[in-house]
Amino acid sequence: MAILSINNLTFRYKNKFVFDNFNLEVERGSWVTIAGPNGAGKTTLVKILAGLEKSYADITIFNKPLNKKNMYDIRREIGFVFDNPDNFFACETVEDELAFSLENLGVFPNTIKKKIKDVAKILKLDDLLKENPCDLSGGEKQKVALATALMLEPRILVLDEALLMIDVKERDEILKTLKEYNKQKRVTILSFTHNLEEAIYSDRLIILNKGVITIDGAFPEVFSEERVMRKIGLEVPFAIELSEKLKVYNIIDHMELDLERLVSLIWK
Ligand code: ADP
């Protein structure tokens, strides 16, 4: 069942068209990565979904049309995490930042405390709870922004280059954590990125270029179109390239995207 559907989206900035009759359906509980080079339209699409840009489209989320009347209810159940968390923090400590939205909703302090503990554990933020979010590194700030979104237990998590500043090792751990979260809580993840490595745990990968879906398929089979990805300027992850070659030589029998597992398969 579709949790989100966009029909006939046409959008332009002044006289520059970004989308012309764009359509997309996202299944409930799936993890969909929308990847594309700079200028593809990713941020514009996120802004439209967040109600920050107005569009004339038929957009339905949680079976409700996205319009002025429903915007607040719909947005309450979507966690948006943007690329630059600097403009985002309102509180003096990470702990207060995590509590902020739930306090505004009148949630009991004990419930909030427990949630902070759980989310901090998931994202390994325990040591940062008393820090000022503005003093943290870029990667830490992004983790706090993600944690803030998880505090509200969203039905859809929208990530807009949300892991860009987190170092590779930690990013991979967060991606794994998000996959568990996606499976256990049936949270739909819609991840926008220029980095195909972030698609590793997706169910579906969509390649967007100049406002048009050029590739759309199950992951990782969709990588058979790697030439198209290169052509539009996307870097194909090393594990994908290597897997492809090892399959040709019958050294492995399936695509393996996790480099550690790939290495152990080769050494078997
Ligand atoms: P992406 O996030 O994939 O890099 P964007 O959604 O930021 O793509 O941009 C899509 C297109 O819209 C690009 O050609 C970009 O130059 C243009 N664009 C983005 N924001 C604005 C704006 N505020 N005014 C005019 N053009 C814009």
Side-chain angles (χ1 to χ4, degrees):
M1 199 175 87
I3 196 164
L4 179 153
S5 76
I6 301 174
N7 296 298
N8 299 322
L9 167 65
T10 296
F11 179 88
R12 66 180 183 188
Y13 294 105
K14 294 203 174 116
N15 49 10
K16 183 181 171 45
F17 270 94
V18 182
F19 294 105
D20 187 11
N21 193 16
F22 176 89
N23 299 286
L24 174 69
E25 285 220 335
V26 174
E27 285 293 302
R28 177 170 169 244
S30 61
W31 180 333
V32 179
T33 295
I34 301 188
N38 273 342
K42 303 183 295 294
T43 298
T44 304
L45 192 51
V46 174
K47 284 183 178 167
I48 291 168
L49 293 176
L52 302 172
E53 292 286 359
K54 213 170 154 208
S55 76
Y56 299 95
D58 169 15
I59 300 178
T60 307
I61 305 178
F62 314 128
N63 283 327
K64 290 182 198 156
L66 183 71
N67 55 26
K68 231 178 167 179
K69 185 171 145 264
N70 295 330
M71 183 59 82
Y72 178 77
D73 286 345
I74 290 176
R75 276 219 46 182
R76 258 187 64 167
E77 298 201 75
I78 305 181
F80 285 95
V81 189
F82 293 97
D83 60 340
N84 183 358
D86 272 328
N87 314 324
F88 168 90
F89 300 122
C91 302
E92 281 182 9
T93 66
V94 169
E95 196 170 32
D96 290 347
E97 195 65 53
L98 296 185
F100 186 69
S101 310
L102 291 181
E103 278 170 357
N104 282 344
L105 291 172
V107 176
F108 288 120
N110 280 347
T111 312
I112 298 179
K113 260 193 195 155
K114 187 178 175 309
K115 273 201 173 161
I116 292 177
K117 217 173 146 202
D118 292 347
V119 170
K121 194 171 165 216
I122 289 176
L123 291 175
K124 299 198 177 83
L125 283 173
D126 302 274
D127 294 342
L128 302 180
L129 289 176
K130 302 287 177 208
E131 301 287 329
N132 185 324
C134 299
D135 295 339
L136 302 178
S137 70
E140 288 168 338
K141 283 177 185 167
Q142 286 201 315
K143 273 208 304 183
V144 175
L146 179 58
T148 310
L150 295 190
M151 285 292 292
L152 287 162
E153 296 191 8
R155 287 167 72 189
I156 303 180
L157 189 60
V158 178
L159 309 173
D160 182 15
E161 303 280 10
L163 310 179
L164 191 66
M165 291 186 259
I166 298 174
D167 72 60
V168 174
K169 195 162 178 280
E170 206 170 6
R171 186 199 65 200
D172 289 348
E173 273 179 31
I174 292 176
L175 287 170
K176 259 186 209 151
T177 305
L178 285 176
K179 185 66 197 175
E180 278 166 35
Y181 196 78
N182 160 249
K183 270 194 184 155
Q184 281 169 11
K185 305 217 172 193
R186 293 268 285 151
V187 174
T188 307
I189 300 182
L190 198 51
S191 161
F192 293 81
T193 180
H194 72 283
N195 183 357
L196 288 172
E197 285 185 359
E198 287 183 23
I200 180 165
Y201 298 115
S202 313
D203 304 305
R204 177 178 166 202
L205 174 62
I206 292 172
I207 304 291
L208 185 69
N209 189 33
K210 295 181 182 154
V212 175
I213 292 177
T214 49
I215 300 175
D216 181 354
F219 193 82
E221 292 80 17
V222 75
F223 272 103
S224 56
E225 308 224 31
E226 65 178 276
R227 234 178 299 146
V228 183
M229 298 184 195
R230 282 213 181 83
K231 207 170 146 200
I232 61 172
L234 285 173
E235 212 172 296
V236 174
F238 175 66
I240 297 280
E241 280 187 88
L242 190 56
S243 274
E244 277 285 320
K245 295 211 167 85
L246 293 171
K247 259 177 70 187
V248 171
Y249 290 104
N250 285 327
I251 296 171
I252 59 173
D253 58 7
H254 65 280
M255 295 282 274
E256 182 51 70
L257 309 178
D258 184 306
L259 261 183
E260 272 174 35
R261 281 207 299 262
L262 185 56
V263 170
S264 58
L265 279 177
I266 298 169
W267 287 107
K268 244 185 193 173

